[in-house]
Amino acid sequence: MEKPKYGGQAVIEGVMFQSPRNMVTAIRRNDETIEYFEMKRPENKWAARLKKIPVIRGNVAIIESSIYGMKHMEFASDRFDRNPEDDQEIETEKQDTNTTKLVLSTILVGILSFLVGKFLFTLIPVFTAAIFSGVVTSHFGQVLLETIFKLILLFGYIYFISLTPMVKRLFQYHGAEHKVINAYENNKQLTVENVQNSSRLHYRCGSSFILFTVLVGFIVYMFVPVDPFYVRVINRILLIPVVLGLSFEVLTLTNKLRDIPVLKWLGLPGLWLQYLTTKQPDNSQVEVAIHSFNHLLRSENK
């Protein structure tokens, strides 16, 4: 019998794990205790229908992941550096704020941040490649140049933010998340030793998805014009959902093919990027990830 597929994400000083029904975050407080945040995954009939349609389902999954992930990130950011005796004060602060407006504004800010980031990540390489249009004149050359600049921007951004202490710790928890999933999927008992001996790379990681958007975009853009320049800008913006949706399908496919020796190489570029987006966690971080995953398993059996 095939094991259920669980996913997750790193949060500040913790890890969130999720199944189709439940989501659990565990964080380590500053007094070394571990605290949990648990929520049922909301049932949305429209989203469920859309997630059966190829390409479209990828965009739906991204939106859902962003919205739900923000709730867990908010839980972690509210508490990770506060003493547990301050919890009542945290709740009072929330009660003094209009909860509905706060939730809506958080979701709106999250979506806008994603869109702005995606627009910049898409358009900066377009403008940079256009500077060299007098030297690189062919359609293929311009798209290739655009893709190269996009890869430089991606790798450079990830590398430099990983140098900051907070992001480095976040990437360590990202590594702990992958290690727990790998240990579980390889039928290992979830001990610190077994988890630490597992790989910090995983085929289903969102980091792989980000890289696939660049590679898939290269192929898609070969079929649309780059001249005149305003048409190039417009089609890049309009094709964002298409590239995201196709990249999701590629990520899903590479995960299905990862055990086939000849085809598993398709997922290797995404795994290589994870050497930047994950870091080796320490034992205390692995403990938090194990607690989070075990709590999710208990929630599944309720």
Side-chain angles (χ1 to χ4, degrees), residues 4-16:
K5 288 183 172 59
Y6 297 107
Q9 72 175 60
V11 299
I12 301 174
E13 291 305 321
V15 177
M16 180 269 279

Side-chain angles (χ1 to χ4, degrees), residues 139 143 220-233 235-236 239:
H139 182 278
V143 175
V220 171
Y221 298 153
M222 292 300 297
F223 296 94
V224 294
V226 295
D227 294 310
F229 183 70
Y230 75 90
V231 172
R232 182 177 184 177
V233 172
N235 69 43
R236 293 301 187 267
L239 286 171

Side-chain angles (χ1 to χ4, degrees), residues 178-188 190 194-195 198:
H178 284 186
K179 282 174 173 283
V180 167
I181 292 290
N182 280 320
Y184 171 78
E185 292 181 345
N186 287 298
N187 299 309
K188 295 181 179 178
L190 296 184
N194 286 342
V195 171
S198 299

Side-chain angles (χ1 to χ4, degrees), residues 17 66 95 139 141 147 172 183 230 278 286 292 297 300:
F17 284 107
S66 299
Q95 290 173 7
H139 182 278
T147 303
Q172 286 179 294
Y230 75 90
T278 66
V286 167
S292 180
L297 294 181
E300 294 286 274

Side-chain angles (χ1 to χ4, degrees), residues 11-15 25-37 72-91 93-94 169 173 282 284-285 287-289 291:
V11 299
I12 301 174
E13 291 305 321
V15 177
T25 286
I27 62 169
R28 190 180 294 279
R29 303 294 294 269
N30 61 7
D31 66 345
E32 296 302 314
T33 60
I34 293 176
E35 186 173 346
Y36 302 97
F37 173 61
H72 290 261
M73 187 63 81
E74 180 187 6
F75 164 79
S77 61
D78 281 345
R79 289 169 169 75
F80 83 97
D81 63 344
R82 303 277 293 268
N83 293 320
E85 50 265 33
D86 292 338
D87 285 357
Q88 185 57 49
E89 182 180 338
I90 295 172
E91 293 304 317
E93 291 170 358
K94 287 182 175 294
R169 286 193 64 80
Y173 276 108
D282 60 34
S284 67
Q285 292 168 320
E287 286 176 355
V288 174
H291 278 285

